Amino acid sequence: MRILWRPFGFSRILFKVERCRISESESLTPLAWTSQIQKLSRAPGIFLLDQRKRFSTMPEIESDQRDSELFSPPSNVRGMTKLDRTAFKKTVTIPVLKVRKEIVNKLMRSLKRAALQRPGIKRVIEDPEDEESRLIMLDPYKIFTYDSFERAELSVLKQLNVNPQISKYNLELTYENFKSEEILKAVLPEGQDVTSGFSRVGHIAHLNLRDHQLPFKHLIGQVMIDKNPGITSAVNKINNIDNTYRNFQMEVLSGEENMMTKVRENSYTYEFDFSKVYWNPRLSTEHSRITELLKPGDVLFDVFAGVGPFAIPVAKKNCTVFANDLNPESHKWLLHNCKLNKVDQKVKVFNLDGKDFLQGPVRKELMQQLGPLSKEKKHSVHIVMNLPAKAVEFLSVFKSLLDGPPCSIELLPIVHCYSFSKDPNPAKDVQQRAGAVLGTSLEACSSIHPVRNVAPNKEMLCITFRIPAAVLYKNQTLNLDNHDDPPLKRQRTDNKVFSEEKTQISSLNWKRFLPLPTRPLHNEI
């Protein structure tokens, strides 16, 4: 960044009015020039430059147009597909305030609003003509003249005996001084969506580029690396998660090709090969929500466990956990992460198809947990099914899964099943589809939790319900319209199981419950 010294009165008003009067507060001119300034005050468009150039005229321009382009990269970068950082050099004019160096720190606390805030630009610089002074860079969108300061700011300036005269500097901007959004907006074709967000997975920036962004993919990847400390690799998903193992093909756009990464989520550490397993950092809040529903001693069956974001936090609460994943890589890293987080003695890990896991280990454990011969204290049983593309289909496995007399209602397993929906009423859609698979209505005994907006008109939800005894046990009478299971209740402060109120689908205002997106990119995993 290079600063060029060019002091002169700074005021957008000078471009707009017919008679330009340069007041004492609008000029850095020595007193010797005051009389000459006054003689020229009636000449339109004339304002002070410096002592050598004396005066200059400037045609009227629209200040709004100038401001909108002030911090935009040069127009000649439009259409660039290979990043050339040197092409982003640009000189802009910035207002500055001259102050004594010993009062800078005290003054800056009061000028937070007015001071310039740009990447890589110091807000306080040395005065090239006076070593005892400093120059405070001001925000050109907020400070135009002496009158642009707020009353409190003017009061502080007066207390510290600071002359509120405004000067200008020519400031040379480079690639380092532009934000990623500004760079991409300048490079991509006008009017098209700009990618400035991503999912961070350790050192990896995971993007989901749209078709019109693909010609610029390598440039976009490099910008993401340059502008985000700690990111050393940028990848783009090139297909949807529709295979058996829930991973996706990806292309390295820029940076290193190492996909072995480490992440921290909710105080737990996970290590894995991102190219071979499923991981979504946008589900951190959901992982915490489910974990908080369980109490010490409860049992969790995690049907599609991945690398352990549900299983490990729950195990830390002294719960018994049965975690399963069909993907051999996920199974390997699940075992690794259980040891890494010191819960390997509390988690039983399986590498089975979800259906086989439910019909095998889950059925066996439920028969022991819920059977009449069990002498142990009964705890809640939770079954998490986080495979939103297909999990609803697996609900059919619960039909007539257990033999013998049914357990009491309060001991019936609680299912947390995830699903996508593109329906205008996504909550009702998921509830009806889950009920159709089970062969019973869930309207009176389920809650719906909106997880996140995946893409335009596509939502991810979690439906929670106790499996009706008439569904779970063989030889039970099933009333499709009205069964005896009580509706789910709101979680209480004494750690009752459910945190969601019973959902009345007919009156559900879905949009009211949707979480606000934290990044502009959509990620369909």
Side-chain angles (χ1 to χ4, degrees), residues 199-218:
S199 295
R200 181 164 187 163
V201 184
H203 67 282
I204 303 166
H206 171 212
L207 296 94
N208 188 7
L209 299 182
R210 303 181 186 278
D211 290 342
H212 72 270
Q213 297 163 341
L214 294 179
F216 308 91
K217 59 185 180 181
H218 297 298

Side-chain angles (χ1 to χ4, degrees), residues 33 36 47-56:
W33 293 97
Q36 297 186 42
F47 60 100
L48 180 67
L49 272 179
D50 59 29
Q51 295 184 23
R52 287 174 291 183
K53 293 187 178 181
R54 303 293 175 88
F55 302 99
S56 176

Side-chain angles (χ1 to χ4, degrees), residues 162-174:
V162 175
N163 189 336
Q165 294 172 334
I166 302 297
S167 300
K168 280 187 178 180
Y169 271 89
N170 279 352
L171 173 66
E172 186 177 87
L173 300 177
T174 65

Side-chain angles (χ1 to χ4, degrees), residues 152-169:
E153 294 167 340
L154 288 173
S155 176
V156 173
L157 293 177
K158 184 176 180 180
Q159 291 175 13
L160 297 176
N161 196 27
V162 175
N163 189 336
Q165 294 172 334
I166 302 297
S167 300
K168 280 187 178 180
Y169 271 89

Side-chain angles (χ1 to χ4, degrees), residues 24 38 114 117 120 123 131 185 193 196 219 251 274 282 309 323 336 346 413 471 482 499:
E24 181 181 353
Q38 292 173 346
Q117 299 187 32
R123 292 185 290 177
E131 63 180 17
K185 185 177 180 180
D193 293 338
S196 60
L219 181 146
E251 176 186 13
F274 185 52
R282 301 184 184 198
H336 173 82
K346 300 176 183 178
V471 172
N482 184 23
S499 64

Side-chain angles (χ1 to χ4, degrees), residues 301 362-374 378-381 402-403 405-408 410-413 467 472-473:
F301 297 100
V362 175
R363 180 183 183 277
K364 180 180 179 180
E365 187 65 23
L366 287 179
M367 291 293 292
Q368 294 179 357
Q369 289 277 339
L370 308 180
L373 299 181
S374 175
K378 303 296 184 181
H379 296 282
S380 295
V381 176
L402 303 183
D403 300 314
C407 66
S408 58
E410 64 272 13
L411 296 180
L412 289 169
I467 308 175
L472 186 61
Y473 287 88

Side-chain angles (χ1 to χ4, degrees), residues 110-125:
S110 301
L111 293 182
K112 290 181 180 180
R113 180 197 70 90
L116 178 67
Q117 299 187 32
R118 294 290 304 174
I121 296 180
K122 294 181 179 180
R123 292 185 290 177
V124 180
I125 59 175

